[in-house]
Amino acid sequence: MLEFSQHQERVFFGMSAYFCFEGIPFHAIVHKREIIEESRDKFVIRDEDTVILSYPKSGTNWLIETVCLIQTKGNPKWIQSVPVWQRSPWIETKKGFPILINKEGPRLMSSHLPFHLFPKSFFRSKAKVIYIIRNPRDVLVSAYFFRHKINLIDNPESLGTYFELFLKGNVTYGSWFEHTRNWLSMRENDNFLLLSYEDMKKNTRGTIEKICDFLGKKLEADELDLVLKYSSFQAMKENKMSNFSLVPEHMVTNGLVLLRKGTTGDWKNHFTVAQAEAFDKVFQEKMAGFPPGLFPWKYP
Ligand code: A3P
C-alpha cells in the first residue's frame, strides 16, 4: 500500500511532489505552503465576492462555467476567450492567489480547501459560497482516471490502490468525508448554497435557476437557454478554455481529459462487490448524524 509518507519521498522535476500542510496533502507544482498559510490567515474575502467550493472531481468546472455564463447572461464570449482558471482563480494556488489579491471589485473565485484551511475572513463576511457535492464513489472513480493522466501527483497504480488511499484520506485535499462533514455544517447559512452534481444532472435548468436566485441575477428564458447550451458536456468538451487542453504539456501524460464521462453512477462499472460494501461501511461511520435524504444518491 502506497501511503502519503511515501508520496512525500517522491521527487518531481527536482522537487518533492507533495507537501503536507496541517494534515492535508498538497501537490508542490500547483501549491506552496506559504500561500496556503497566507490565504487562510491574511487573504480578505469581500462581501461582494462569490466562491465556488468543492471537493475535487465533484463537477467544479461545470459549476464555474455555469456561473460565468449566468454573469454574462448566456453570452459565451468570456468562456470562449479566457481559461477557466483565470475566470475563477483558485484561492490556494500559486497562479490563482496573485490574480485574486490584485483584483478589484466583486470577484469570482474557486477553492477545494477544507474548512479549517479556508480564509478566516470569509467567516466574518457576507460573501456567497456555492458548495457542490457528488457521490463520493463517483468522485473516487473520476479522480482515479484524472490522476492517471497528470504528472502532478503519483499516478495510482490501480483503482484498488487509489480506493484504499481515498478511504483513508491520503489524497490531495485530504478526506472527502472530513471535507464534506465540515462544509455541510454551513448549509443553513443564508450565504451558503448547497448543490449536488446529481441534481444538476437531473434538473440542470432548475439548478441554474436556483443559482440565479442565490446570486440575485434575473435571466430571461432565452438567456437561460444559452447558459444551458454553452455549459453542456459537449460544449465544454469542445471549448479549449474549459476542457483543460491548455494545461501545460509537461504536467500531462497521454492527454488529460477533464470531461471524461459526465455521468452519475459510473462507480458501479468499477467497484467490486467487496469494495462497494467496504465503502458503504465507511460512509455510514463517517457521515453518521446527517439525514440520509441530504445526499442525492442511494444511501449510504
Ligand atoms: P467524470 O470524470 O465522472 O466524467 P471537477 O470539475 O470537479 O474536476 O469534476 C470533473 C467531473 O465533472 C468529470 O466527471 C467531468 O466529466 C464532469 N463534468 C465536467 N463538466 C461537465 C458537464 N458540463 N456536464 C456533466 N459533467 C461534467
Side-chain angles (χ1 to χ4, degrees), residues 56 64 138-139 147 169 177 184 273 278:
I64 297 172
D138 285 334
V139 165
R147 278 159 201 194
F177 304 98
L184 283 183
V273 172

Side-chain angles (χ1 to χ4, degrees), residues 71-84:
Q71 289 198 354
T72 62
K73 299 196 167 211
N75 184 331
K77 202 169 158 212
W78 191 32
I79 62 151
Q80 290 174 352
S81 56
V82 181
V84 62

Side-chain angles (χ1 to χ4, degrees), residues 54-66 90 112 132 134 138-139 141-146 197 200-201 204 228 230-237 242 244 257-267:
S54 67
Y55 187 85
K57 310 318 291 176
S58 302
T60 328
N61 287 277
W62 185 15
L63 181 56
I64 297 172
E65 201 82 335
T66 304
W90 295 80
H112 288 315
I132 184 161
R134 184 183 191 186
D138 285 334
V139 165
V141 170
S142 178
Y144 169 70
F145 285 107
F146 188 75
Y197 182 89
M200 203 154 154
K201 282 288 295 183
T204 314
L228 265 172
Y230 290 112
S231 63
S232 72
F233 186 84
Q234 203 48 41
M236 280 185 66
K237 206 173 169 65
S242 313
F244 279 30
V257 177
L258 173 73
L259 291 111
R260 187 185 61 95
K261 273 197 172 175
T263 57
T264 56
D266 189 36
W267 66 272

Side-chain angles (χ1 to χ4, degrees), residues 7-125:
H7 284 295
Q8 282 175 302
E9 313 271 309
R10 289 278 298 252
V11 169
F12 183 71
F13 287 125
M15 59 201 291
S16 178
Y18 277 88
F19 63 90
C20 204
F21 186 88
E22 301 204 357
I24 305 293
F26 289 97
H27 36 79
I29 294 261
V30 178
H31 301 113
K32 198 171 164 192
R33 189 178 296 277
E34 291 75 16
I35 289 184
I36 311 261
E37 200 163 14
E38 198 177 331
S39 65
R40 182 191 58 185
D41 298 335
K42 299 196 183 133
F43 180 61
V44 180
I45 296 204
R46 306 175 198 137
D47 288 346
E48 63 272 25
D49 290 338
T50 302
V51 188
I52 290 169
L53 191 63
S54 67
Y55 187 85
K57 310 318 291 176
S58 302
T60 328
N61 287 277
W62 185 15
L63 181 56
I64 297 172
E65 201 82 335
T66 304
V67 172
C68 290
L69 284 162
I70 289 173
Q71 289 198 354
T72 62
K73 299 196 167 211
N75 184 331
K77 202 169 158 212
W78 191 32
I79 62 151
Q80 290 174 352
S81 56
V82 181
V84 62
W85 49 82
Q86 282 174 24
R87 281 183 260 131
S88 184
W90 295 80
I91 302 173
E92 65 271 21
T93 63
K94 290 184 203 173
K95 283 214 165 15
F97 187 72
I99 301 178
L100 287 170
I101 54 174
N102 290 314
K103 197 160 180 215
E104 290 176 4
R107 294 167 299 183
L108 178 64
M109 58 187 90
S110 309
S111 180
H112 288 315
L113 283 170
F115 194 79
H116 73 289
L117 296 182
F118 200 68
K120 289 177 182 158
S121 60
F122 164 70
F123 300 97
R124 301 185 293 270
S125 81

